[in-house]
Amino acid sequence: SQTYSEFEIVVVNDGSTDKTAEIVKGFIDKHKNIKLINFKKGHSDSLSRNKGTEKATGSTLVFLDADAYIEKNFLREISKNIGKADAFITINFPTSKTLIGKILSKLIGPQRKLKLKDGKIYDRKNHEEAGSYFSCISKKAFKKIGGYDKDVFYFTDGPFAQKFYEKGFKAVLVKNA
């Protein structure tokens, strides 16, 4: 349901026990821009994201977990910022209204990010004010930093962002995504 139509989807089904593979295969029959990588046994986030990237043909990568939801304008807003930086920082909110969701929301810090200026560039000097998570990155930067560290099983975003900034890359905040 994206308002931007030039994209592909690579689903990495990493050993799930639900019907993810069957559901995705149904979509593949209807949409030529969907690919499936199906692992019988689960692996790390890092391995799954790296394998998905190998299959992706686009120049900008977007990483979404199974429980992620993006607004219809997400890809359009990201596309408006291509060329400004090598990664795109977006604001993510837990959708759950449960106590745990509210606690996670406070820990993740989207309220702090809401105060940041849209379009601001972050680099190794000021990146800590924007946090260590960005869901979109250029494939060129991804390859230059060597992808996600295969030895990090969970909480991969911090070490990944650290390598990104250490290599001298920059990210831009895209609030409207």
Side-chain angles (χ1 to χ4, degrees):
S1 64
Q2 288 294 300
T3 59
Y4 186 81
S5 61
E6 296 296 316
F7 65 92
E8 70 180 334
I9 299 170
V10 179
V11 177
V12 180
N13 182 36
D14 193 22
S16 68
T17 56
D18 59 15
K19 298 192 182 305
T20 297
E22 291 80 16
I23 293 168
V24 172
K25 286 176 185 173
F27 280 111
I28 290 172
D29 292 340
K30 299 173 191 162
H31 304 281
K32 303 292 184 224
N33 64 335
I34 301 175
K35 299 172 185 172
L36 173 65
I37 299 172
N38 198 30
F39 293 120
K40 299 289 184 208
K41 180 183 165 205
H43 300 85
S44 67
D45 288 351
S46 298
L47 183 127
S48 297
R49 290 178 178 189
N50 290 341
K51 289 294 181 185
T53 298
E54 289 172 13
K55 195 88 150 169
T57 60
S59 61
T60 303
L61 306 168
V62 178
F63 298 103
L64 301 172
D65 293 330
D67 60 350
Y69 169 83
I70 56 175
E71 297 292 335
K72 290 181 179 191
N73 68 326
F74 184 88
L75 295 176
R76 179 164 308 286
E77 292 300 321
I78 295 299
S79 71
K80 290 178 186 177
N81 288 276
I82 290 176
K84 292 182 182 177
D86 298 289
F88 312 93
I89 300 168
T90 57
I91 298 171
N92 306 294
F93 292 101
T95 57
S96 173
K97 295 187 187 324
T98 64
L99 177 61
I100 210 77
K102 290 176 183 176
I103 291 169
L104 284 174
S105 180
K106 295 287 184 200
L107 291 174
I108 293 169
Q111 293 83 2
R112 178 177 53 86
K113 281 189 183 179
L114 283 173
K115 295 175 185 167
L116 300 178
K117 184 179 178 216
D118 187 44
K120 185 171 180 176
I121 302 294
Y122 294 92
D123 58 25
R124 66 175 73 168
K125 293 176 189 157
N126 68 347
H127 69 88
E128 289 176 4
E129 84 180 58
S132 64
Y133 177 75
F134 36 79
S135 57
C136 311
I137 185 172
S138 73
K139 194 170 188 180
K140 179 185 87 180
F142 185 89
K143 285 183 172 187
K144 281 192 176 180
I145 63 174
Y148 284 90
D149 185 340
K150 63 180 174 50
D151 296 326
V152 178
F153 199 83
Y154 292 111
F155 307 111
T156 56
D157 299 318
F160 181 75
Q162 186 73 27
K163 287 193 315 185
F164 173 86
Y165 289 116
E166 283 173 0
K167 293 280 186 184
F169 290 110
K170 296 177 181 174
V172 62
L173 177 63
V174 185
K175 277 188 171 182
N176 293 331

